[in-house]
Amino acid sequence: MAPGATVGRMDDSRGSAGRLPAVPARPGDATVLSPNPGDAVLATASVNEIGRALEGRVRGQYRLDEFVGGGGMGAGFRALDTRLDRPVAVKVLSRRHSADGEMLRRFEVEAQSAARLDHQNIGRVYAVGNDDGWHYIVFEFIDGTNLRDLVAR
């Protein structure tokens, strides 16, 4: 599959062409120039919109199979390491945060800190990468209930 190719599911929030709805510009928003017109929309999209838009795409050697949630910095995916043919978890930093030097530094520090941890109850960091301006951290995939759902119950 070619980088940027979409194979994810379609839902009503994307419209008939599979594109995200337009997100109105806010004062102070940076202009984003990209060969992919959808990337300009993703620069200001919500985490859920980013998750749905990136689902099925490939970043580096990782195919983002399923959007599983997001937080203040980006979106999380169940993914496939296509080179090693194994499931992984990938956290993708939002475009808006990637353009902010301080947030990008915090993301990198998070990856370095997590990589130093080695415990049976903590997913290991496998890699850090950047593909077409999308920064990501690749973690060991652990099948089970996520902590947010467990706390909610």
Side-chain angles (χ1 to χ4, degrees), residues 68-146:
V68 295
M73 292 179 79
F77 297 87
R78 180 184 52 79
L80 177 71
D81 180 332
T82 61
R83 192 168 294 151
L84 298 175
D85 193 29
R86 68 177 172 184
V88 294
V90 177
K91 180 177 183 177
V92 179
L93 186 64
S94 73
R95 289 278 198 175
R96 181 184 45 173
H97 287 93
S98 291
D100 178 336
E102 178 60 23
M103 290 303 288
L104 185 54
R105 187 191 69 72
R106 288 176 58 190
F107 189 72
E108 291 169 354
V109 167
E110 174 188 344
Q112 292 169 346
S113 297
R116 288 186 196 102
L117 301 175
D118 188 15
H119 189 275
Q120 64 186 10
N121 295 330
I122 299 173
R124 291 174 178 84
V125 172
Y126 289 150
V128 176
N130 175 6
D131 180 19
D132 195 28
W134 291 98
H135 296 268
Y136 56 86
I137 305 171
V138 181
F139 294 91
E140 172 185 13
F141 177 78
I142 300 172
D143 196 13
T145 305
N146 74 42

Side-chain angles (χ1 to χ4, degrees), residues 7-56:
V7 297
R9 66 179 179 262
M10 294 286 293
D11 63 28
D12 293 338
S13 66
R14 291 196 204 176
S16 61
R19 292 206 171 102
L20 293 171
V23 177
R26 295 179 303 251
D29 279 352
T31 301
V32 178
L33 300 176
S34 170
N36 181 351
D39 285 349
V41 172
L42 291 176
T44 58
S46 74
V47 170
N48 288 333
E49 290 169 325
I50 292 168
R52 288 191 305 268
L54 291 179
E55 197 171 57

